[in-house]
Amino acid sequence: MSFRKVVRQSKFRHVFGQPVKNDQCYDDIRVSRVTWDSTFCAVNPKFVAVIIEASGGGAFMVLPLQKTGRIDKSYPTVCGHTGPVLDIDWCPHNDNVIASGSEDCTVMVWQIPENGLTLPLTEPVVVLEGHSKRVGIITWHPTARNVLLSAGCDNVVIVWNVGTTEELYRLEDLHPDLIYNVSWNRDGSLFCSACKDKSVRIIDPRRGQVVAEKEKAHEGARPMRAIFLADGKIFTTGFSRMSERQLALWDPENLEEPMALQELDSSNGALLPFYDPDTNVVYVCGKGDSSIRYFEITAEAPYIHFLNTFTSKEPQRGMGWMPKRGLDVNKCEIARFYKLHERKCEPIIMTVPRKSDLFQDDLYPDTAGPEATMEAEEWVAGKTAGPILISLREAYVPTKQRDLKVSRRSLLQDSRPAAAPSAGLSATHPSAMSQSAATPAISVSLASGDGGQVIEEVLREVASLRMLVAAQGERIGRLEEQLSRIENGDV
């Protein structure tokens, strides 16, 4: 008799989210109030950047990760735009370079000093001018150095070479309406876009063509999103005709029907998806929600598996997402979000509970590293390659202390069975007491610097103790012989 499995087996079933303590948050940040559905926050292993309210133009704040606590109102900002900043994105190949798009129709690229800002940064390294309306979407190419995509409210997508400030490709007639979001695939050969005309398009920028298109991917009129998954499939979020929020999974080879479609709830905030290609887990955050839902994507039906929901009290204004190489692998952390409140940025850590202290290979396969696979010119020439992967094992630090503890008691007594006292010698006999008193337990801590010297010392002590034991053994032998003669009446 066979029993059907009621609960699907998954190593991510028990993933739980936990906000950090108050002193590890970033307080007193005036988060932007601009009405635009971007994340308002970008994070990398060095810095967290947040778009803020600014008078007389647009600004965003860049903080070193360790600068937690209350942020002074006079803290320097990046403030070169003349209109509100709408989107920011860290360069995946240089942790000190960030790009920003603004209502002033420009894209700017900034170089952040190694230890963060000490003065307001007003001069960008590069200004990219090519849009006729505000620029709401910025995203770097995943594998080619200095390639940046921008999309504006003029319905134009431009691919730039930041190193030469030239337009590589200008895609003008592919979107008839406002572009909601753009997402590169794993090797950067294609990108997908979600548009206000309710279509999801897969576009080859080098050929300037729409490779595939799905009309009415979600029938609702509210904003939707589309992202590429590692295997080339497309994950979308949107609204039904009845304004219920939906998730869907699509196969680019057959866009007629979704592989999976799930309805979530009837809230009205746009759903922002964050995808981890290493674990195939998608985290979905709604603007104005106070929860993060997460789902595992698998190759078997029903393809989208709900895992759990992290819920908090405060609604989120935006959300940042740490790349995998910035996580703490010692704590089995598989994701870290930076939740924006009205005046605060709160890190939220997603953890897989594990008892072992060892490095967890199954949670941390090799992930995309900070090294670019190719130059912009190679990509333009037609080269396509996936990201250069790195192991996270080097970031693993064993939690146990590396100090070697040497106990003299264990060397002498624990390594061999203790001899039972002789029938003729009581445990309270002075000789037995003197023997135990002569071998005290001594603990020596071996530090990494002076190991050889301490080992020699220990060996000398061991040798002297062995001699002492041998002498005591001879003395016990003589006493036992004397007792034997007394018992036999020889004395």
Side-chain angles (χ1 to χ4, degrees):
M1 184 177 177
S2 63
F3 291 95
R4 188 171 60 87
K5 283 184 182 175
V6 179
V7 179
R8 189 183 68 90
Q9 291 297 315
S10 169
K11 67 185 89 160
F12 305 112
R13 239 179 70 213
H14 301 292
V15 169
F16 66 95
Q18 194 167 20
V20 301
K21 294 176 181 173
N22 280 337
D23 60 347
Q24 293 174 293
C25 295
Y26 307 86
D27 280 315
D28 221 8
I29 298 173
R30 303 182 309 281
V31 177
S32 175
R33 296 174 179 273
V34 68
T35 53
W36 184 253
D37 282 327
S38 82
T39 59
F40 289 174
C41 182
V43 190
N44 71 15
K46 281 187 182 177
F47 301 105
V48 53
V50 180
I51 302 174
I52 58 169
E53 281 288 297
S55 54
F60 59 95
M61 187 173 274
V62 176
L63 301 168
L65 285 186
Q66 65 273 15
K67 187 171 175 54
T68 53
R70 186 179 173 278
I71 308 301
D72 197 271
K73 286 183 180 177
S74 61
Y75 193 85
T77 60
V78 181
C79 50
H81 285 286
T82 56
V85 177
L86 300 178
D87 198 16
I88 49 178
D89 193 30
W90 287 104
C91 176
H93 309 125
N94 187 333
D95 286 342
N96 293 67
V97 171
I98 188 169
S100 57
S102 166
E103 281 193 9
D104 63 11
C105 308
T106 65
V107 176
M108 294 184 180
V109 181
W110 310 83
Q111 176 89 33
I112 306 299
E114 187 63 35
N115 298 315
L117 299 176
T118 52
L119 296 169
L121 188 58
T122 56
E123 291 299 318
V125 179
V126 175
V127 180
L128 305 171
E129 295 175 315
H131 290 280
S132 58
K133 291 187 178 177
R134 60 183 184 167
V135 182
I137 297 166
I138 296 288
T139 178
W140 291 90
H141 192 283
T143 60
R145 193 189 314 278
N146 292 340
V147 175
L148 179 67
L149 180 149
S150 64
C153 294
D154 51 6
N155 309 335
V156 174
V157 175
I158 303 176
V159 181
W160 307 87
N161 182 344
V162 173
T164 60
T165 71
E166 64 178 318
E167 285 184 16
L168 298 176
Y169 304 102
R170 187 180 182 89
L171 310 173
E172 287 187 301
D173 304 318
L174 303 183
H175 297 91
D177 212 331
L178 179 69
I179 303 165
Y180 286 135
N181 91 301
V182 171
S183 169
W184 291 100
N185 68 351
R186 183 81 163 156
D187 60 18
S189 58
L190 305 168
F191 67 80
C192 67
S193 65
C195 183
K196 196 174 181 181
D197 67 353
K198 302 179 185 176
S199 287
V200 171
R201 296 173 175 84
I202 300 173
I203 295 168
D204 184 337
R206 291 179 287 194
R207 288 162 52 203
Q209 293 179 352
V210 176
V211 177
E213 180 177 351
K214 172 58 184 174
E215 296 178 359
K216 292 191 176 178
H218 295 275
E219 296 191 351
R222 293 180 183 275
M224 62 181 191
R225 299 254 160 172
I227 58 170
F228 260 114
L229 304 185
D231 60 359
K233 294 186 175 60
I234 291 175
F235 181 87
T236 60
T237 65
F239 291 81
S240 70
R241 194 180 297 164
M242 305 301 292
S243 290
E244 290 173 315
R245 297 198 290 192
Q246 295 178 321
L247 312 174
L249 186 66
W250 306 85
D251 183 354
E253 302 297 321
N254 178 17
L255 289 171
E256 288 299 313
E257 291 293 325
M259 296 171 64
L261 180 68
Q262 288 189 17
E263 292 191 346
L264 291 185
D265 53 33
S266 53
S267 296
N268 58 8
L271 288 169
L272 308 176
F274 296 89
Y275 172 62
D276 179 1
D278 303 331
T279 58
N280 256 342
V281 175
V282 175
Y283 302 83
V284 178
C285 315
K287 270 211 157 182
D289 288 6
S290 55
S291 62
I292 302 171
R293 295 180 177 90
Y294 33 108
F295 302 81
E296 187 176 3
I297 311 294
T298 63
E300 312 85 36
Y303 306 110
I304 302 174
H305 304 273
F306 173 73
L307 290 171
N308 211 335
T309 303
F310 165 79
T311 308
S312 56
K313 293 178 183 176
E314 298 292 323
Q316 53 230 15
R317 298 278 297 275
M319 194 70 77
W321 160 262
M322 174 67 79
K324 205 64 173 288
R325 59 194 173 87
L327 301 181
D328 187 348
V329 298
N330 296 289
K331 295 178 181 172
C332 295
E333 181 184 359
I334 61 164
R336 191 189 309 157
F337 291 94
Y338 286 74
K339 174 182 172 179
L340 299 185
H341 299 246
E342 197 169 338
R343 294 186 72 86
K344 182 169 83 168
C345 176
E346 176 187 42
I348 295 167
I349 293 168
M350 296 287 179
T351 307
V352 178
R354 292 277 170 97
K355 289 181 180 177
S356 172
D357 283 331
L358 301 174
F359 178 74
Q360 305 294 311
D361 300 83
D362 59 327
L363 299 183
Y364 302 106
D366 289 356
T367 191
E371 195 61 44
T373 309
M374 56 189 151
E375 300 300 323
E377 294 75 18
E378 295 177 273
W379 181 72
V380 171
K383 182 177 176 181
T384 297
I388 295 174
L389 302 182
I390 60 168
S391 169
L392 294 177
R393 189 179 284 275
E394 280 68 36
Y396 169 72
V397 179
T399 53
K400 305 283 187 195
Q401 287 186 344
R402 291 173 182 259
D403 290 332
L404 172 63
K405 298 288 184 186
V406 180
S407 168
R408 290 185 177 169
R409 179 180 288 279
S410 64
L411 280 171
L412 289 173
Q413 294 179 351
D414 296 350
S415 59
R416 65 184 80 173
S422 169
L425 187 62
S426 147
T428 56
H429 194 280
S431 299
M433 291 173 70
S434 65
Q435 180 187 358
S436 61
T439 55
I442 300 171
S443 177
V444 180
S445 175
L446 176 60
S448 55
D450 55 356
Q453 185 182 344
V454 176
I455 287 172
E456 281 179 23
E457 239 177 81
V458 170
L459 289 173
R460 279 199 300 273
E461 293 287 341
V462 168
S464 64
L465 281 168
R466 279 183 177 152
M467 288 170 64
L468 184 62
V469 169
Q472 295 284 9
E474 287 175 14
R475 188 177 171 195
I476 289 168
R478 286 197 301 273
L479 286 169
E480 283 180 342
E481 193 180 332
Q482 192 176 347
L483 274 170
S484 177
R485 284 203 303 271
I486 291 168
E487 285 169 0
N488 294 333
D490 294 343
V491 176

